[in-house]
Amino acid sequence: MTSTFTITTEQGRIDKVITAHETTHTRSQVQKWLQDGLVTVNGQPTKANYKVASGDVIAISIPEAKPLEAIPEPIPLDIVYEDDQVIVVDKPQGMVVHPAPGHPDGTLVNGLLYHTDLPGINGVIRPGIVHRIDKDTSGLLMVAKTEKAQLSLSAQLKAKTSIREYLALVHGTFKEDEGTIDAPLGRDPRDRKRQAVVADGRHAVTHFQVLERFEHYTFIKCILETGRTHQIRVHMAYIHHPVAGDPLYGPKRTLPGEGQFLHAAKLGFVHPTTSQLLVFETPVPPIFEKTLADLRAGIDKTRNVR
C-alpha cells in the first residue's frame, strides 16, 4: 500500500512528521521504512534526519503487515453467552484482548482459540474480535464465531446501533446530572502512547449520567455513541474529571486499584441470524464494588499510586 501526502504546516524531521501522520505505526517502524528506501520526498529517497519543507510530497510504500501467530492457550474465560454465531465474554482487568508486540500470549484471543474454532475471522491476529476494551478495563465484549457474524456485528458498531454502557468512578464532582462530550480524538502529538482531543481527530461522542456523588469523586454511567481508542478515559480527562486509577490520563494521587475504575457493564446487539435483540449486563468487579462501598461509608483511600 502506498500512502502519499503533501506538507503544509508540518515542520521538523521527516521521521517525526510521518509518525504523526501515520498514527497506527511506531516511529521505529517509520525509521525502518526510511532505512529500506520505502519513503520518498518529491520522488527521491530520503533519510530520517531530513527536515520537511512546505510543498514536499511524501510517498510511503507501506509493506504488508505480518500477522502475529495466536496460539491456543487453556485460559479460563467468563463466558456470559455463546451459540454457533457469537460469544459474549466478561473480560477481567489485566487481560489484553489480542496478541501484540509485548503481549504475544495470555490474551483473550489465545483463550478463545483454545475454547472454540474461529477460522478466517479478521486473520490470525484478532480472530472474531470486532471491538475491544483496554487491558485494565473490565467488562463485556462480543466476539464473532463466523464471518457472517463478524460482518453483522461490525456493521452494527459502525451504524451506532449496538448498546455499550460503561460504569466509571471519576475525580471531582459534577454540577450537572447528565451531559454529552462531543470532541474529536486522535494521537497526542506530544506523546504517541496517548490519545488526545485534537482538531483533526476522528469524531467521538460520549454521553454521561451521574449515578452517585461523593465528596471528591462521582460514580457515572457512560454511553458510547462512537468507539475510539481510550475514548471515555480521554473525554473524561478533557472535562477535568479523569477516571480514578487511570495510570495514563489521571493524576498520581488517586484511588488504589487494579487499573482505571472503568467497567463495560452493558452490551447489546441484534443477533446476526435470528435478528433478536440480545442485551447483557455484568456487575463491576469486587475491587470496584469495595471502593464504592468505602466511599458510601465516608472512607476515602486516595493516595499516590505511582
Side-chain angles (χ1 to χ4, degrees):
M1 180 182 74
T2 300
S3 174
T4 303
F5 63 97
T6 302
I7 299 298
T8 53
T9 60
E10 299 94 331
Q11 297 180 348
R13 286 168 51 118
I14 191 170
D15 57 342
K16 294 183 179 179
V17 170
I18 292 175
T19 302
H21 189 272
E22 296 292 336
T23 57
T24 59
H25 297 91
T26 66
R27 190 173 170 191
S28 61
Q29 286 176 309
V30 172
Q31 290 174 335
K32 182 69 165 54
W33 296 344
L34 287 158
Q35 288 177 353
D36 294 343
L38 301 177
V39 179
T40 63
V41 177
N42 304 321
Q44 299 298 319
T46 188
K47 295 183 179 180
N49 61 359
Y50 173 78
K51 293 184 178 180
V52 301
S54 179
D56 279 347
V57 178
I58 313 297
I60 314 160
S61 298
I62 301 176
E64 288 292 325
K66 295 180 180 179
L68 296 177
E69 187 69 33
I71 306 300
E73 296 180 60
I75 299 170
L77 300 176
D78 185 356
I79 296 175
V80 176
Y81 174 84
E82 181 176 10
D83 61 26
D84 63 342
Q85 294 291 319
V86 296
I87 304 176
V88 177
V89 181
D90 189 354
K91 186 191 82 67
Q93 281 186 301
M95 177 181 279
V96 175
V97 172
H98 61 79
H103 296 285
D105 50 31
T107 72
L108 178 64
V109 163
N110 295 110
L112 284 168
L113 289 173
Y114 185 87
H115 172 76
T116 189
D117 188 20
L118 299 173
I121 307 297
N122 282 354
V124 300
I125 186 170
R126 291 196 296 175
I129 303 297
V130 293
H131 71 125
R132 61 182 180 178
I133 54 180
D134 300 330
K135 173 187 174 185
D136 291 325
T137 297
S138 56
L140 299 171
L141 274 170
M142 53 186 173
V143 180
K145 294 178 70 173
T146 67
E147 186 171 2
K148 180 177 181 178
Q150 192 269 338
L151 292 172
S152 174
L153 297 178
S154 296
Q156 291 179 55
L157 286 170
K158 187 175 181 180
K160 305 173 186 177
T161 57
S162 55
I163 299 168
R164 286 174 295 164
E165 295 184 6
Y166 288 70
L167 297 176
L169 188 58
V170 302
H171 283 264
T173 56
F174 289 83
K175 294 180 180 179
E176 58 273 88
D177 292 330
E178 58 185 26
T180 296
I181 307 165
D182 186 344
L185 299 181
R187 182 70 58 81
D188 188 332
R190 296 169 297 180
D191 185 349
R192 64 167 305 277
K193 294 181 180 179
R194 294 163 52 102
Q195 299 292 304
V197 172
V198 292
D200 59 348
R202 301 177 70 189
H203 179 58
V205 178
T206 304
H207 307 283
F208 67 86
Q209 176 185 340
V210 172
L211 300 177
E212 203 169 350
R213 290 178 170 90
F214 306 106
E215 185 175 1
H216 300 296
Y217 296 92
T218 305
F219 184 38
I220 64 172
K221 175 171 68 176
C222 292
I223 301 173
L224 288 181
E225 186 172 315
T226 56
R228 310 305 179 200
T229 301
H230 299 174
Q231 179 172 314
I232 292 173
R233 298 166 66 189
V234 179
H235 270 173
M236 298 316 299
Y238 177 66
I239 64 169
H240 309 295
H241 291 288
V243 177
D246 191 333
L248 192 58
Y249 301 102
K252 292 181 180 179
R253 188 166 180 78
T254 187
L255 291 167
E258 297 174 354
Q260 56 269 7
F261 285 84
L262 182 61
H263 177 68
K266 187 174 183 178
L267 176 67
F269 55 88
V270 173
H271 192 276
T273 59
T274 69
S275 298
Q276 178 185 1
L277 175 62
L278 302 179
V279 181
F280 305 93
E281 295 188 62
T282 181
V284 296
I287 193 167
F288 199 144
E289 186 56 55
K290 176 63 166 61
T291 300
L292 286 172
D294 284 345
L295 291 172
R296 288 168 185 145
I299 302 170
D300 186 335
K301 295 183 179 179
T302 298
R303 60 179 175 83
N304 287 336
V305 299
R306 63 184 190 281

